[in-house]
Amino acid sequence: KRLVKDKVVLEIGAGSGLLSMMAARAGAKHVYACEMVPMIAEKAKQIIQVNGYDEKITIFQYLH
C-alpha cells in the first residue's frame, strides 16, 4: 500500500484493469493505464466503471 498511496501510477499493458484497480484501492491519487488492444481497452473501461473506479482510473488505448 505505501508504494502507491497518494501517488500517480502508470500501468503499461492494463489488460482487464485489475492491477489498476488494486492500486486505486491501495490509495493511489490517480492511475493512468495503457492498453494496446482496442477490445480489451474497452472491456477494461467497463470493468473499472462497474467497480466504481472510473473517477480514479483513466484507460488509454495505445495508438500506433
Side-chain angles (χ1 to χ4, degrees), residues 11 14-17 20 31-35 40-42 44-45 48 57-61:
E11 180 182 12
S16 66
S20 293
V31 180
Y32 294 95
C34 187
E35 176 53 53
I40 295 174
E42 283 305 313
K45 287 178 186 178
I48 287 165
I57 301 172
T58 303
I59 299 280
F60 291 102
Q61 180 191 333

Side-chain angles (χ1 to χ4, degrees), residues 11 14-22 24 35 38-59:
E11 180 182 12
S16 66
L18 177 63
L19 294 178
S20 293
M21 289 187 287
M22 290 172 68
E35 176 53 53
M39 187 171 66
I40 295 174
E42 283 305 313
K43 188 52 86 172
K45 287 178 186 178
Q46 293 171 6
I47 292 168
I48 287 165
Q49 184 177 30
V50 166
N51 284 281
Y53 289 107
D54 49 325
E55 294 293 320
K56 278 200 136 186
I57 301 172
T58 303
I59 299 280

